[in-house]
Amino acid sequence: MGEILASILQIYMYVVIAYAVFSWLFAFNIVNPRNQLVATIYEVCWKLVDPVLSKIRQVIPTMGGMDFSPIVLLFAVSILSNLVRGM
């Protein structure tokens, strides 16, 4: 059971990373957000990540235009994954 949960958390980490990368690519106009495939992937990532990130953003606001909430989320998921593997 612990390995399954650790695997799910690992996949969630990849989703958070994909969300952050897509947001950077959109911000720097590297990827066209009107592309159907890109928009679909980003929307799925956003729906999975944004509810958690919005809670983190309530505690840690953006600093100088930088949003550190994905880093905090990755750190928290990593710690949780290590705790689950230790069980």
Side-chain angles (χ1 to χ4, degrees):
M1 180 66 176
E3 286 299 317
I4 294 171
L5 187 56
S7 297
I8 291 170
L9 289 171
Q10 186 71 33
I11 292 169
Y12 191 73
M13 287 179 68
Y14 291 134
V15 172
V16 173
I17 292 169
Y19 171 82
V21 169
F22 272 111
S23 67
W24 293 337
L25 293 175
F26 290 157
F28 292 117
N29 231 5
I30 296 172
V31 174
N32 185 1
R34 290 185 219 137
N35 181 325
Q36 186 68 31
L37 177 64
V38 171
T40 302
I41 293 170
Y42 180 73
E43 184 178 349
V44 168
C45 292
W46 181 78
K47 286 183 178 182
L48 291 172
V49 173
D50 193 59
V52 180
L53 288 181
S54 64
K55 300 290 186 198
I56 295 172
R57 287 181 186 127
Q58 290 175 356
V59 177
I60 301 172
T62 58
M63 292 177 249
M66 295 291 294
D67 183 15
F68 292 105
S69 58
I71 296 169
V72 172
L73 180 57
L74 284 173
F75 185 67
V77 172
S78 176
I79 290 173
L80 187 60
S81 178
N82 288 336
L83 288 174
V84 167
R85 283 191 183 121
M87 291 179 164

